[in-house]
Amino acid sequence: MVDCGEKNLKQIITGIVHNYTPEELIDEKIIVLTNLKPRKIMGIESQGMLLAADLSNEPFLLKVDERKPIPPGTKIK
């Protein structure tokens, strides 16, 4: 579950289990897309997508610069 601001939680299903543990993702400020049509992945509805770079066929999550606080739900322009 991802906090997308204004008490808006989204369930996002990803394929990064081999690269990140759930504990590593808690409280991380990552970049997500939520204006996508929900899709079933492995039988579970995903309501968005995490943005990641591909480094040698390994995902590297894109994160918010922690030096400048950006609240959850801030729109990307």
Side-chain angles (χ1 to χ4, degrees):
M1 300 301 289
V2 177
D3 180 359
C4 294
E6 298 179 18
K7 300 180 185 177
N8 184 9
L9 294 178
K10 300 277 186 184
Q11 176 171 256
I12 298 179
I13 309 303
T14 71
I16 62 171
V17 68
H18 300 295
N19 305 91
Y20 294 90
T21 65
E23 294 78 22
E24 288 177 297
L25 298 175
I26 294 172
D27 293 328
E28 283 292 331
K29 291 189 175 23
I30 59 173
I31 301 171
V32 299
L33 294 176
T34 60
N35 63 344
L36 306 170
K37 183 178 176 180
R39 296 202 172 232
K40 290 244 179 181
I41 299 174
M42 299 181 290
I44 303 169
E45 184 177 281
S46 184
Q47 302 167 325
M49 179 187 309
L50 306 180
L51 293 185
D54 180 351
L55 296 174
S56 301
N57 292 321
E58 297 289 331
F60 183 83
L61 287 176
L62 300 180
K63 298 180 183 181
V64 174
D65 183 348
E66 290 291 331
R67 297 173 296 171
K68 297 181 182 182
I70 298 174
T74 300
K75 295 187 187 281
I76 299 171
K77 293 187 177 187

